[in-house]
Amino acid sequence: MRSLLVGLAATGLLAQWPETIPERTQFARTSTVAEVRGFMEALRKRAPGLEPYRPAGAPRATETGKPLLAWRLKGTSPDALRVYVNANIHAGEVEGKEAIQQVVRELLQGKHPDLRRNLDLVVMPAYNADGTDALDPAIRPWQPNPSESGVGRRENAQGLDLNRDLMKAAAPNTRWLLAMLQDFDPAAVLDLHTTNGSTHGFHLTHGPACTLGADEGLLAFNRRMLVEVREELKAEGMPTYDYGNFAPYRPTPDKPPTAWETYDAHPRLLTNYPALRNRLAVLSESYVYRAWPDRISDTRRFVLACFRWMVAHRNEIRSELRQAQRRWSEGWANGQVSLPLSAKLKEVERYAFEWVDPIRDAKGRLVGEKSRTRLELPSFVGFEGQDFVPVPRGYLVDPAFAPAVLPLLRAHGVQVLEGRRRPKGLPLLFFQETARKLATSAYQGTFTLELRGAWKADLQPQKLQAAWTPADLDRALYVPMDQPLGRLAFYLLDPRSTDSLAFWGLFHPALLRGDGMWGEPPRFPILAVGGGESAPTGPHSLSAPLAQE
């Protein structure tokens, strides 16, 4: 018997499964980047299947040199559905980082054989690597935290919110993610967070992609998935609902909630971005006021419920993705397509909510309830597109801006051609600006620029404005809109998009002329090819509110 035990020990069959840092410390600490790596590498030694994952051409580290670490667990079936799980993009919201480590361990332990067989996973537990290691017990004092370590910082080392960076892709973390989306091409993306706001009766809130200009059929399917997951968890005693907050934002007994409203429709957010690529997305927001171990457990249960739904509906998911892509292609085959420049909240249903009037301690933590009121409220958990405009056949980008624009478009996977390959039989359209708003304070390190106007074929240039020559047109970047990622390309390149390269400042040298700039005016750096239009009407706001979470 002794020789048998020695032999088993030598083969690792008696080795203990590794514990996460919260498990090892009785929840006194959350994990650092190095400790996540140590846990995942210990899993690799314990059971086969888990491997480090590095997308082709992706950055290996952040600006400060922190490693960008992910792992892949391939399904044992050749038909496994590809899913990506992102955690700790806001490093003060650490529950997802710990929960996904537990989920990977359980899959390797054989606790979920159907998921192990039919899911091909890539997980990145510490996406905001700089924030992950900047642990401080003083951060987010209103949530029950690991007492010894505290939690990490929301933003990266440069002060950027990585969950607002998907379009401009300024951070290495974002460029890593864009490379992953091209290399791994998951059918669905999960992004794991913790709430900041309303006091409600849910253990966790969640959201599908609610993306401006995405395929409506795919958005509806995405929402259906989470409604069905919600009902499954409700039957198990775990109340969840669509992510949002009460309106007004901080209700009182004198001014109780009148509605429930979800978050932003911009594709700059990680949960919204995949829909412009015709992929599914899931936002998970554990309830900030629940105990720290409970928040980990709730996130773990929600992730597993999503996985079960995806495996059960994997063929339907693939069909829905194909149909969304086909609808875009057929739109071009049947004539010009249109997309919205703005969106407004829409009521999806009425729902019974519990509003908690909280008792808080000096740090803002919820330590009791003055009352708990059940209210049936309108639930605004979707968006309706507004200000639809025709999408041109393509855009030309001034060759002077190609060194900055071309790498970014390629990082997104957008097809870019030489200007000489543009359709020569279509008119060139010039942007007629009718209004603008330059931000008075910086957002994400940029003084953003919102533009209004329309594309015109007969626009008169300013006096002494630089002209487009035939050689300039041939040297320009041509981006066709009838490509698979045409929706994404439109919101990157149309100057009226409030997530465009113009909005984020890539064309500021040409578009902003201040005191002391005495030279002749430059030309507008983008042309449209085909598809003239009138200026959009309606509430295309030049002062649209930004997301609160």
Side-chain angles (χ1 to χ4, degrees):
M1 175 62 72
R2 178 178 177 83
S3 61
L4 175 61
L5 292 175
V6 170
L8 290 172
T11 62
L13 293 179
L14 292 184
Q16 294 295 312
W17 286 94
E19 294 182 313
T20 65
I21 291 300
E23 293 167 340
R24 285 168 50 188
T25 64
Q26 290 72 54
F27 296 94
R29 292 184 55 239
T30 188
S31 52
T32 64
V33 172
E35 288 166 338
V36 170
R37 172 186 260 166
F39 176 85
M40 300 297 274
E41 290 304 307
L43 287 181
R44 291 185 63 209
K45 294 177 182 177
R46 185 64 179 81
L50 187 66
E51 296 295 337
Y53 171 74
R54 299 185 182 93
R60 297 291 185 92
T62 69
E63 297 91 341
T64 68
K66 293 285 184 183
L68 296 171
L69 302 174
W71 288 266
R72 183 174 183 178
L73 183 61
K74 292 185 179 181
T76 56
S77 165
D79 194 38
L81 185 74
R82 293 185 176 187
V83 176
Y84 170 71
V85 182
N86 196 80
N88 234 43
I89 194 169
H90 294 151
E93 304 168 17
V94 295
E95 293 70 29
K97 174 182 61 175
E98 308 301 349
I100 195 57
Q101 294 178 73
Q102 293 179 341
V103 168
V104 171
R105 181 180 61 197
E106 291 178 19
L107 291 170
L108 289 170
Q109 288 173 325
K111 292 184 176 181
H112 313 285
D114 196 32
L115 305 185
R116 180 71 183 89
R117 182 168 52 253
N118 292 302
L119 286 180
D120 184 352
L121 291 178
V122 167
V123 301
M124 196 174 201
Y127 181 81
N128 181 356
D130 291 313
T132 296
D133 281 356
L135 298 172
D136 187 340
I139 294 174
R140 292 176 66 89
W142 58 87
Q143 73 181 19
N145 280 329
S147 57
E148 182 181 323
S149 67
V151 296
R153 301 181 71 86
R154 177 181 178 90
E155 298 168 344
N156 75 351
Q158 291 189 338
L160 296 180
D161 186 333
L162 297 175
N163 200 30
R164 306 295 185 271
D165 194 47
L166 268 293
M167 296 294 273
K168 60 186 173 68
N173 316 58
T174 312
R175 296 193 294 275
W176 182 99
L177 189 135
L178 295 181
M180 180 278 300
L181 291 175
Q182 292 188 65
D183 179 75
F184 182 58
D185 190 21
V189 171
L190 280 71
D191 189 27
L192 311 182
H193 290 254
T194 299
T195 62
N196 290 324
S198 296
T199 49
H200 50 67
F202 304 116
H203 290 186
L204 180 145
T205 50
H206 45 69
C210 292
T211 316
L212 175 69
D215 181 86
E216 291 294 335
L218 189 62
L219 294 180
F221 180 76
N222 204 158
R223 174 165 171 74
R224 178 197 136 195
M225 172 179 70
L226 290 180
V227 168
E228 293 180 8
V229 167
R230 176 182 83 194
E231 293 306 308
E232 175 189 332
L233 291 172
K234 182 179 179 181
E236 296 174 1
M238 180 178 166
T240 70
Y241 192 66
D242 286 71
Y243 169 73
N245 285 292
F246 288 120
Y249 185 62
R250 295 196 183 280
T252 65
D254 294 333
K255 293 184 178 179
T258 58
W260 180 264
E261 296 178 352
T262 194
Y263 63 123
D264 200 308
H266 282 101
R268 69 184 69 144
L269 283 81
L270 177 51
T271 309
N272 283 340
Y273 177 84
L276 292 185
R277 308 179 71 95
N278 291 320
R279 296 295 182 266
L280 303 175
V282 174
L283 172 71
S284 170
E285 295 267 0
S286 66
Y287 184 44
V288 62
Y289 300 114
R290 278 175 63 78
W292 149 239
D294 291 338
R295 299 199 306 271
I296 299 174
S297 175
D298 294 339
T299 303
R300 170 193 161 275
R301 289 181 65 184
F302 175 71
V303 169
L304 287 171
C306 289
F307 284 175
R308 288 192 295 271
W309 194 96
M310 291 175 184
V311 164
H313 298 83
R314 59 190 182 279
N315 291 331
E316 190 177 0
I317 289 173
R318 292 186 175 108
S319 175
E320 290 288 339
L321 303 186
R322 288 193 299 268
Q323 289 180 51
Q325 189 59 63
R326 186 171 65 247
R327 284 190 288 269
W328 177 253
S329 300
E330 289 175 349
W332 285 106
N334 296 330
Q336 194 172 50
V337 302
S338 61
L339 288 173
L341 292 175
S342 65
K344 66 176 181 179
L345 283 167
K346 68 177 180 180
E347 182 179 345
V348 172
E349 62 184 356
R350 294 187 67 86
Y351 199 79
F353 295 88
E354 290 185 344
W355 169 56
V356 174
D357 189 11
I359 300 172
R360 300 179 186 270
D361 65 12
K363 293 183 177 180
R365 293 176 296 193
L366 195 155
V367 295
E369 299 179 7
K370 299 176 186 176
S371 62
R372 181 177 287 241
T373 306
R374 187 175 177 86
L375 300 167
E376 184 176 296
L377 300 174
S379 178
F380 293 87
V381 292
F383 287 89
E384 180 180 350
Q386 299 182 121
D387 301 315
F388 281 80
V389 294
V391 179
R393 298 297 299 190
Y395 293 95
L396 287 165
V397 178
D398 195 319
F401 288 90
V405 173
L406 181 58
L408 184 53
L409 293 176
R410 285 178 171 167
H412 282 281
V414 170
Q415 181 189 24
V416 182
L417 306 175
E418 295 176 329
R420 62 183 177 84
R421 296 180 61 186
R422 69 191 185 278
K424 300 292 178 60
L426 296 177
L428 297 178
L429 305 177
F430 300 86
F431 188 69
Q432 182 180 46
E433 182 182 322
T434 58
R436 67 166 49 193
K437 180 182 178 182
L438 178 65
T440 57
S441 60
Y443 175 57
Q444 288 287 97
T446 301
F447 288 85
T448 58
L449 178 63
E450 299 182 43
L451 297 175
R452 292 187 70 173
W455 295 104
K456 300 291 185 179
D458 55 355
L459 186 65
Q460 292 298 314
Q462 300 177 47
K463 185 179 179 180
L464 298 180
Q465 186 177 44
W468 285 86
T469 68
D472 292 333
L473 296 172
D474 286 347
R475 290 173 49 241
L477 307 178
Y478 177 64
V479 183
M481 292 295 105
D482 59 353
Q483 62 176 288
L485 295 181
R487 293 178 189 271
L488 173 60
F490 173 82
Y491 289 106
L492 285 167
L493 290 174
D494 194 284
R496 299 161 295 185
S497 160
T498 49
D499 250 336
S500 68
L501 305 188
F503 175 85
W504 288 114
L506 269 75
F507 301 115
H508 275 10
L511 298 180
L512 301 183
R513 307 291 288 172
D515 294 341
M517 302 193 73
W518 305 321
E520 297 74 26
R523 62 197 176 208
F524 196 87
I526 303 175
L527 297 176
V529 179
E533 61 187 64
S534 301
T537 59
H540 178 206
S541 173
L542 287 177
S543 57
L546 298 172
Q548 295 298 310
E549 289 298 322

